[in-house]
Structure formats: C-alpha cells, structure tokens
Amino acid sequence: MTDTVQVERRDDIAIVSLHRTEKRNALRQEDWVAVGDTLDALGEDDDIRCIVLRGAGDEAFCAGADISGFEEERSDRKKVKAYGIATDRAFFGVRNCRHPVIAMIHGFCIGGGFELALAADMRISGESGRFGIPAKAIGLFLSHDLVQFIVDAGGRAVASEIMLEGRIMPADEAASKNLVTRVVPDAELEEEVMKAARRIADGAPRASFAATSTALSCNSSASTHSETRPMRSASSRPTSTIGSCPTFQWASAGSSTSPSTKPSSAAPLNTCA
C-alpha cells in the first residue's frame, strides 16, 4: 500500500489526504488504486458518518495523473487498460461510497484531480482553487462516464467548454457554473469544510443520503418507472449513476447487504493528466 493516501479520524469524520506535495499531489497508478481501496474501507466502517477528501500542502488538491510515469505505466494497450482500471478504483470509490464525501479544494484541481473532486458529493473550494481538464494538450481522452461527471455538475454546454478549450478556470467561475458547491477565503477553508462535515455527521446522513442519491441519479425519464418499489436501505448506494435510474441492491431490515462499488461498465475509464 502506498503512503500517498493517509487517513485521519476526528470522531465520526474521516479526513483522507493525498500526500505527494513535490508533485502537486499528482497520482501514480498505485496511488489511484489506494484512493479507491481507502474509500471502500471507510465506506464499510459504520462509525464513520462523513468523509473529507483533501490534498496536502499549499499548492494543490490534486494535479491529476503524474504523467512522468506514463511511459512505463501506459506504454502498450494492456498497460493502458490496467491504468484505466486503477483510475476506476479511485473515481468510483468516491462516487459510490456509502458515506457523504466532501472535496476540500485549494490550488490546482485539474485533470484526474478535477474528476476526483467531481465524484464527491460536495465540493468546497478556497479562492485559490483552479479547475480544468487539459487532456487535449497531451492527446488523452475521457470516457463517457467521466464526461458525464462534468455534465452532471455543470451541464452539457459547460462540459463542452471544459473539454474543447482545455483552459484552467478560477474558483469563482467554477462556482458560477455549478462545478463547486461554494467558495470561501483560503484562510477559512478548513474551518468551513469541517463545519459542513459536522452538520452532515450530526444528522442522519445515510438516510438522507439514500433519498438524495436516488433522486439525483434518476434522469428525466424516471417518470416512466412508476411501479411500486421497495424502500431503499440507507446503507446502500446506486451501483451506477450514469444515464438512467440505477439498479439498487436492496436490503431488508437488519441485513448486512452492502452495494457493489464497482463501476457499471466493464470498460476502463481513461483519466487525463
């Protein structure tokens, strides 16, 4: 297990930190897997009620993939596929976590780092936040599922702008396009995020989260699915939130059934730098 991903617990709140400050917290293949493994493990911990995901240091939340390793990690089709599976572990580990996840963002939040933040349930940024996906600059692409993360947050027009222009936008612009939940002064960022996490943890996060996740994961065609459905367990989350109402794993009272955290598609996702 890489030591890039570190966990601190403050009562019922877990803080997951990305520690590669010399690389602006850009992640290697093994680091993406570690992010997913960490979120999966925390998701199974019933003593946790909220998770904060952050980057270490002063410069970045996460600058995406560490492209210095691409020559080795993505040198042939087999390795590209393996790399895609590794990034799946991170993005869907965050997306499908049983507990609410808040991305605490300062500095660079670009490429795969931006996608990681978009997978979270809330994104609170300091004024220093910088957002974008410059994949076109190095000839990489995003899968349908990852593009859908952007569409879910900002809409189709914003997703097109981000992907086609590849520019980096400041935090206030990202907020105006619904890509972040809110922006606060950098000096107040940690305090604001921890207050939000405490409000979530002090409520009934899994119950409210189940209802919210269900509503948000259904598209406009949901009205055609009007059959009576069983009550969704507060411990479960959708296995996929892309495209239409997800298939849930239902649990009866007292059941220990937990949802799969694997993405719905077998095709690997291609991250960007």
Side-chain angles (χ1 to χ4, degrees), residues 45-113:
D45 188 338
D46 288 334
D47 292 329
I48 296 295
R49 298 175 70 82
C50 186
I51 298 170
V52 173
L53 179 62
R54 65 172 299 172
D58 300 323
E59 290 190 77
F61 169 75
C62 175
D66 182 355
I67 62 174
S68 68
F70 275 11
E71 184 174 355
E72 171 60 29
E73 295 173 338
R74 298 170 61 98
S75 58
D76 57 44
R77 292 177 64 87
K78 184 177 180 180
K79 289 183 177 181
V80 168
K81 182 177 180 179
Y83 195 94
I85 292 171
T87 57
D88 277 5
R89 294 287 297 117
F91 299 135
F92 283 91
V94 174
R95 185 79 156 191
N96 293 339
C97 185
R98 286 177 63 221
H99 307 304
V101 180
I102 305 174
M104 184 173 88
I105 302 163
H106 67 282
F108 291 99
C109 180
I110 60 176

Side-chain angles (χ1 to χ4, degrees), residues 40-200:
D40 283 357
L42 291 173
E44 293 301 315
D45 188 338
D46 288 334
D47 292 329
I48 296 295
R49 298 175 70 82
C50 186
I51 298 170
V52 173
L53 179 62
R54 65 172 299 172
D58 300 323
E59 290 190 77
F61 169 75
C62 175
D66 182 355
I67 62 174
S68 68
F70 275 11
E71 184 174 355
E72 171 60 29
E73 295 173 338
R74 298 170 61 98
S75 58
D76 57 44
R77 292 177 64 87
K78 184 177 180 180
K79 289 183 177 181
V80 168
K81 182 177 180 179
Y83 195 94
I85 292 171
T87 57
D88 277 5
R89 294 287 297 117
F91 299 135
F92 283 91
V94 174
R95 185 79 156 191
N96 293 339
C97 185
R98 286 177 63 221
H99 307 304
V101 180
I102 305 174
M104 184 173 88
I105 302 163
H106 67 282
F108 291 99
C109 180
I110 60 176
F114 190 16
E115 291 287 355
L116 196 62
L118 287 169
D121 301 288
M122 294 175 61
R123 290 163 293 283
I124 302 178
S125 176
E127 293 172 339
S128 65
R130 295 294 181 268
F131 302 84
I133 299 179
K136 71 182 190 71
I138 55 175
L140 296 180
F141 65 93
L142 270 68
S143 72
H144 170 272
D145 285 355
L146 290 187
V147 173
Q148 189 66 45
F149 281 12
I150 312 173
V151 175
D152 287 347
R156 181 172 178 174
V158 171
S160 295
E161 176 188 8
I162 289 171
M163 296 305 301
L164 294 175
E165 291 191 23
R167 68 183 178 88
I168 307 303
M169 67 181 70
D172 57 351
E173 182 180 353
S176 73
K177 295 175 176 175
N178 296 322
L179 298 170
V180 299
T181 308
R182 56 182 175 269
V183 178
V184 299
D186 282 358
E188 301 172 15
L189 178 60
E190 183 170 359
E191 179 182 4
E192 178 65 21
V193 169
M194 295 310 297
K195 283 181 178 178
R198 175 46 54 202
R199 287 191 290 269
I200 292 169

